[in-house]
Amino acid sequence: MYDELTQVDIDKMKEEIEHRVRVLRPQLIEEVQRTREFGDLSENFEYKCAKRDKNRNDSRIRYLERMIKTAKVIEAKPSEDGVSLFDKVTIFNEMTGKEMVMQIVTTLRQNVLKGLLSKESPVGKALMGHKVGERVQVVVSPDMNYYVEIRAIEKGEDDASLEISSY
């Protein structure tokens, strides 16, 4: 399996890897060495925390490297009047009776709390290519689906200021 990511996603991951390797890793190694000197390692909470932080950093580096290695690089090609990647879409959810605004992004930059929805999510998949005024069925699972109406589409572009997800 691979993730469809833009070149901006790849560049942002490379920047984060560079920062984690050149800046964070030396600091974390130094902290592990410093706390190791506190004595008995079985009861040394500071040492355990320093080791945990170092391991999390190393894990994040491996995760990002694997994402880059397995990614399929795509271009964000805007559709003239349909929903496409990086567009802000206003929808009306018929089930909840609420209107929502969300931006369709790559899986790496999704953050539902900020209104950034992956194009791979059920809603993202359902909206892609559809136009204003269309009623679209969102299939969450075989037992769960609902309809949304597209009320507005604001064309967007690959914005490098959108952060990548922490995991």
Side-chain angles (χ1 to χ4, degrees):
M1 189 178 129
Y2 58 85
D3 286 299
E4 292 183 342
L5 305 172
T6 65
Q7 188 58 48
V8 172
D9 291 328
I10 302 293
D11 294 342
K12 289 177 87 57
M13 286 189 292
K14 286 179 179 177
E15 285 175 23
E16 183 175 338
I17 290 170
E18 182 78 14
H19 173 74
R20 287 181 174 278
V21 169
R22 295 193 185 273
V23 179
L24 285 180
R25 184 181 277 162
Q27 291 172 353
L28 294 169
I29 289 171
E30 185 178 314
E31 183 65 10
V32 168
Q33 291 169 346
R34 186 184 71 79
T35 57
R36 184 180 198 130
E37 296 170 0
F38 290 171
D40 184 8
L41 296 182
S42 65
E43 295 181 12
N44 187 336
F45 181 72
E46 291 85 358
Y47 174 76
K48 288 178 183 177
C49 290
K51 275 294 266 192
R52 181 198 63 209
D53 293 344
K54 181 193 166 298
N55 290 338
R56 282 184 180 166
N57 186 58
D58 291 344
S59 175
R60 177 68 175 175
I61 292 167
R62 285 190 305 274
Y63 169 77
L64 293 171
E65 288 172 340
R66 189 170 45 254
M67 288 287 288
I68 291 170
K69 185 177 177 182
T70 62
K72 177 182 176 188
V73 180
I74 59 170
E75 283 188 44
K77 297 177 184 171
S79 168
E80 286 192 29
D81 53 357
V83 176
S84 55
L85 195 57
F86 301 109
D87 290 350
K88 286 189 180 178
V89 184
T90 304
I91 62 169
F92 176 75
N93 185 325
E94 295 178 4
M95 189 170 76
T96 63
K98 294 184 180 178
E99 191 171 90
M100 302 167 6
V101 178
M102 58 194 62
Q103 185 173 12
I104 307 298
V105 296
T106 58
T107 56
L108 191 63
R109 294 194 240 172
Q110 68 185 354
N111 185 336
V112 177
L113 298 176
K114 293 183 179 179
L116 303 172
L117 210 62
S118 167
K119 70 181 198 70
E120 303 297 326
S121 69
V123 175
K125 282 182 188 175
L127 293 176
M128 292 296 283
H130 289 278
K131 301 173 183 166
V132 173
E134 288 189 34
R135 185 171 179 247
V136 180
Q137 182 181 22
V138 178
V139 178
V140 178
S141 71
D143 301 329
M144 169 68 173
N145 61 63
Y146 59 94
Y147 287 89
V148 297
E149 178 188 337
I150 301 173
R151 297 230 167 132
I153 301 171
E154 180 185 324
K155 290 297 173 187
E157 55 187 45
D158 196 350
D159 183 4
S161 69
L162 294 174
E163 296 177 9
I164 59 176
S165 305
S166 58
Y167 269 102

